[in-house]
Amino acid sequence: MQITLISDINHNLIPVNNKIRIQGWIKNRRKSKLGITFLDLMDGSSIRSLQIVASDSLNNYPNEILLITTGCSIDVYGTLIFSKRKEQKYEIVAQKIQILGWVDNPHTYPISSKKHTLEYLREVNHLRPRTNLILAVSVVRNILFQSIHSFLFKEKFYWIPTPIITSIDAEGTGEMFSVNVKTEKLNNRNGSKEQFIYEKFFNKESFLTVSGQLTLESYASALSRVYTFGPIFRAENSNTSRHLSEFWMLEIEAAFFDLNKILLFSEKLIKYVFESVINIANLELQWLSDNLNINLLKRIKSAINNKFIVLEYSEAIKILNKNFVHVKENKISFGDDLNSEQERYLVEKHFRNNNIIAIINYPKKIKAFYMRINKDAKTVAAMDIIFPYIGEIIGGSQREERLDYLDKRMIELKLNKKEYWWYRDLRKYGTVPHSGLGIGFERLLMYITGMNNIRDVIPFPRTVNNANF
């Protein structure tokens, strides 16, 4: 018999009084004095559980059903009926219940029906998807992922899988993970620690990528509109609630786009995916709002209804020095990078009303070599898009399409031009104005779900000193 999903039942797709079969895990069990046991079942398709009514007339009632505990997996065959409980619409009267998987020791099962702290759940990462909180975040994550692909498909962008292993530093920061292979074990003398020989697998220095941008630009130079979406890696020693060593990044490159056009495009993208999440994951967003005491629907709808505020970097400095910095020695000078506290002041206190702001035209000395130099020769056509509560989520720029300017920037930053020979070729053979952006997927998910720590919106977080599971 075909398996029914709880989500289909909740969406009124299954007629009442039908015989159905459902499978899942026990969230809670309650026994009444009338020879009836109530089982709350979750199957991952919905944040709502479904009540199973098991009577003592079932053959395995005394020796199995009464022994069921939280976490057990079961297969149920029964009749779908309207429930008498106010908090739920449907329930199943079971005719048959088969236990598929027992919990070996219920007293040591890490996920109980009580509420757990997020810190505790990170210690049992492999089991935390069984909680409503992580289930809700996972549902929203999936919808956000799918809506991004849907939007870019409609906008005629090609998906390009850029390499995860690279030989160049796309950002010019040097904070990269090296890729080597363990080839030989050294003799362990005098009880010393084991040592190994590591060799360059690709016969040259290679790394886990910090960005797919440069390789993506080569396809933008032929296909015009392209994007890549996958994990990237940063070897930053940043153990904060906003940083991961491995995270997902959406990167977009578009030929014939200038800075203004890529900025408007990013706003269009954000509003599209926000509307998709509200329409499809309304139930999960409402649950998160209730349990985190945040009006997420109001937050997201405000972002949809309001235009991005565009602010020159120089104007941002003036605002901060006038309203935020109260000690003369701490005044921000032209060329200083803005920290997260300063960004959040601008977006949350100065402009308020949950407006998203885009800061543009940064000093070239704090930005990457590939960003286009403006006419003033001091700034680059770059943008950082700042969201309330999170800070920067989107970064982008118009790329430097002029070879002589690009070469000059490489010299200034002491980059080896030979390593970027193929990237320079894109400027030699039919160069065009083009722009791109990168969106930190997990940070965007934090904004949508109201989660405060980035470790709680990615299935298995990789951070400094932490690569468990």
Side-chain angles (χ1 to χ4, degrees), residues 158-173:
Y158 294 99
W159 170 69
I160 306 297
T162 54
I164 287 177
I165 297 174
T166 182
S167 60
I168 60 172
D169 183 356
E171 296 296 320
T173 62

Side-chain angles (χ1 to χ4, degrees), residues 197-215:
I197 294 176
Y198 292 87
E199 294 184 354
K200 299 171 184 175
F201 184 83
F202 298 100
N203 200 32
K204 64 188 301 185
E205 287 290 341
S206 53
F207 311 91
L208 297 179
T209 186
V210 298
S211 169
Q213 177 200 317
L214 302 191
T215 46

Side-chain angles (χ1 to χ4, degrees), residues 182-374:
K182 186 165 60 178
T183 60
E184 185 179 345
K185 182 177 178 181
L186 297 176
N187 292 330
N188 185 13
R189 298 178 180 176
N190 303 323
S192 61
K193 189 177 180 180
E194 285 187 339
Q195 293 182 316
F196 300 90
I197 294 176
Y198 292 87
E199 294 184 354
K200 299 171 184 175
F201 184 83
F202 298 100
N203 200 32
K204 64 188 301 185
E205 287 290 341
S206 53
F207 311 91
L208 297 179
T209 186
V210 298
S211 169
Q213 177 200 317
L214 302 191
T215 46
L216 193 60
E217 280 188 58
S218 69
Y219 272 75
S221 298
L223 304 181
S224 288
R225 299 184 176 196
V226 294
Y227 74 101
T228 190
F229 198 176
I232 65 170
F233 308 84
R234 301 284 170 92
E236 298 176 356
N237 191 15
S238 299
N239 198 5
T240 76
S241 61
R242 297 169 62 248
H243 288 87
L244 291 167
S245 300
E246 175 188 332
F247 57 97
W248 281 65
M249 178 78 80
L250 169 67
E251 297 183 275
I252 295 170
E253 292 294 324
F256 313 107
F257 275 43
D258 60 13
L259 179 65
N260 183 61
K261 195 168 182 179
I262 199 69
L263 174 54
L264 293 174
F265 184 80
S266 67
E267 182 172 359
K268 186 178 180 181
L269 166 61
I270 290 299
K271 293 184 176 183
Y272 177 93
V273 299
F274 280 4
E275 286 179 348
S276 296
V277 170
I278 285 180
N279 291 336
I280 304 173
N282 192 278
L283 179 64
E284 286 75 18
L285 290 175
Q286 192 59 61
W287 188 92
L288 287 165
S289 294
D290 294 342
N291 285 269
L292 299 176
N293 295 317
I294 302 171
N295 191 334
L296 294 174
L297 291 174
K298 181 181 178 182
R299 172 190 293 189
I300 298 170
K301 287 179 180 178
S302 175
I304 293 171
N305 295 330
N306 292 319
K307 287 186 64 66
F308 286 8
I309 294 173
V310 181
L311 183 70
E312 291 277 343
Y313 166 87
S314 56
E315 183 62 26
I317 295 296
K318 291 178 183 177
I319 292 171
L320 290 169
N321 281 331
K322 182 179 179 181
N323 303 293
F324 182 68
V325 180
H326 303 295
V327 181
K328 186 176 181 180
E329 289 74 18
N330 293 336
K331 292 289 183 182
I332 306 166
S333 302
F334 184 89
D336 291 343
D337 207 354
L338 304 184
N339 60 38
S340 59
E341 188 179 7
Q342 293 161 347
E343 290 174 343
R344 289 190 61 181
Y345 170 81
L346 289 170
V347 75
E348 293 171 27
K349 299 291 173 58
H350 186 77
F351 290 104
R352 303 175 185 171
N353 298 323
N354 284 333
N355 282 305
I356 296 169
I357 68 170
I359 303 175
I360 63 171
N361 295 327
Y362 280 81
K364 67 178 184 179
K365 75 175 187 178
I366 59 174
K367 289 298 182 181
F369 73 96
Y370 51 74
M371 297 184 178
R372 194 180 201 276
I373 302 292
N374 289 325

Side-chain angles (χ1 to χ4, degrees), residues 8-190:
D8 289 340
I9 295 173
N10 290 336
H11 287 111
N12 305 314
L13 300 179
I14 308 299
V16 176
N17 298 321
N18 264 24
K19 301 289 185 182
I20 65 171
R21 183 182 172 196
I22 192 164
Q23 298 172 332
W25 294 265
I26 299 299
K27 185 178 180 182
N28 195 25
R29 178 179 71 84
R30 305 178 307 283
K31 182 179 180 298
S32 76
K33 297 179 181 179
L34 302 175
I36 296 175
T37 292
F38 299 99
L39 305 171
D40 291 331
L41 188 74
M42 300 282 289
D43 69 355
S45 69
S46 173
I47 200 164
R48 288 177 178 162
S49 60
L50 184 67
Q51 180 170 276
I52 310 298
V53 182
S55 71
D56 56 9
S57 63
L58 295 172
N59 293 333
N60 60 343
Y61 186 84
N63 60 341
E64 286 191 334
I65 292 174
L66 289 180
L67 301 179
I68 288 175
T69 59
T70 300
C72 289
S73 60
I74 64 173
D75 187 325
V76 180
Y77 173 79
T79 305
L80 181 68
I81 66 170
F82 287 117
S83 177
K84 295 179 181 179
R85 293 177 66 188
K86 292 182 180 180
E87 58 269 29
Q88 65 184 35
K89 187 174 182 179
Y90 303 105
E91 63 187 19
I92 294 177
V93 177
Q95 274 87 58
K96 181 181 178 181
I97 297 178
Q98 179 186 359
I99 288 78
L100 300 176
W102 292 96
V103 171
D104 289 346
N105 186 345
H107 299 293
T108 62
Y109 181 60
I111 306 296
S112 66
S113 56
K114 70 177 183 178
K115 188 175 182 179
H116 297 290
T117 66
L118 290 168
E119 291 76 15
Y120 170 76
L121 289 176
R122 289 179 210 134
E123 297 175 6
V124 288
N125 243 35
H126 58 307
L127 295 174
R128 70 176 182 169
R130 302 187 185 193
T131 64
N132 280 351
L133 177 62
I134 302 302
L135 172 59
V137 171
S138 300
V139 169
V140 176
R141 183 185 179 97
N142 177 63
I143 292 167
L144 180 61
F145 182 87
Q146 299 293 344
S147 65
I148 287 171
H149 283 290
S150 174
F151 173 80
L152 291 170
F153 183 79
K154 290 177 181 178
E155 293 290 325
K156 311 300 183 184
F157 276 74
Y158 294 99
W159 170 69
I160 306 297
T162 54
I164 287 177
I165 297 174
T166 182
S167 60
I168 60 172
D169 183 356
E171 296 296 320
T173 62
E175 296 169 333
M176 305 173 73
F177 290 105
S178 180
V179 176
N180 294 303
V181 61
K182 186 165 60 178
T183 60
E184 185 179 345
K185 182 177 178 181
L186 297 176
N187 292 330
N188 185 13
R189 298 178 180 176
N190 303 323

